[in-house]
Amino acid sequence: MLTNVEHIGIAVRDIAASNDLFTKLLNVAPYKAEVVAAEGVMTSFFRVNQTKIELLEATSPDSPIAKFLEKKGEGIHHIAFEVDDIEGEIERLKNEGFTVLNEVPKRGADNKLVCFLHPKGTNGVLIELCQEIKE
Ligand code: CO
């Protein structure tokens, strides 16, 4: 089951500058900065009540974020939905005909298991499913 929008991901060219910008905009500092080496991204997270914003900067030229910035420029990169059973949701969405980019959930930023749906099948919006890792 999808439970809520967990965060909105925004691709940026200069995360230090964008951290300052979003700190002013949201009137709160980021609560976390984290590199996800496997994805070639540096992230930072802001929280306003229940709403989270994830900023993403590429750390290598072949990072998916670098490719996104090249094609589309800065802007909203993905919408992430929290799910309570990521394997079950992947199965359900595959059965509904969606293209799942990784059939096995992988470790993402902010202590989450994540899975992405191809934007070609979702009106051009990259969708992330995420589930908190409890250990
Ligand atoms: Co995300």
Side-chain angles (χ1 to χ4, degrees):
M1 192 173 71
L2 279 71
T3 52
N4 57 288
V5 171
E6 212 282 334
H7 63 270
I8 294 171
I10 299 175
V12 303
R13 292 190 194 282
D14 177 349
I15 203 161
S18 296
N19 278 339
D20 288 347
L21 188 151
F22 275 83
T23 297
K24 283 183 205 148
L25 176 70
L26 303 174
N27 202 21
V28 64
Y31 69 88
K32 183 183 272 193
E34 188 178 348
V35 172
V36 184
E39 301 291 318
V41 294
M42 163 67 105
T43 67
S44 63
F45 284 86
F46 293 81
R47 187 192 287 122
V48 178
N49 293 321
Q50 303 300 311
T51 302
K52 291 185 195 169
I53 300 287
E54 174 185 27
L55 302 182
L56 306 118
E57 184 196 77
T59 56
S60 77
D62 57 351
S63 151
I65 294 299
K67 287 175 187 150
F68 179 90
L69 287 167
E70 210 173 279
K71 249 203 247 173
K72 300 195 171 175
E74 293 181 304
I76 293 181
H77 175 259
H78 64 270
I79 297 178
F81 290 96
E82 176 104 62
V83 297
D84 55 5
D85 169 16
I86 194 162
E87 277 97 358
E89 279 306 311
I90 289 171
E91 216 35 54
R92 185 184 70 80
L93 290 163
K94 272 165 58 187
N95 289 336
E96 293 284 3
F98 290 95
T99 304
V100 175
L101 291 177
N102 56 296
E103 299 206 358
V104 178
K106 56 188 179 181
R107 226 190 159 97
D110 205 24
N111 194 40
K112 298 276 199 279
L113 282 177
V114 301
C115 164
F116 289 93
L117 302 182
H118 199 294
K120 276 191 181 140
T122 50
N123 288 148
V125 180
L126 179 64
I127 302 291
E128 173 185 337
L129 308 177
C130 63
Q131 182 174 12
E132 187 154 11
I133 298 169
K134 294 180 178 116
E135 44 198 354

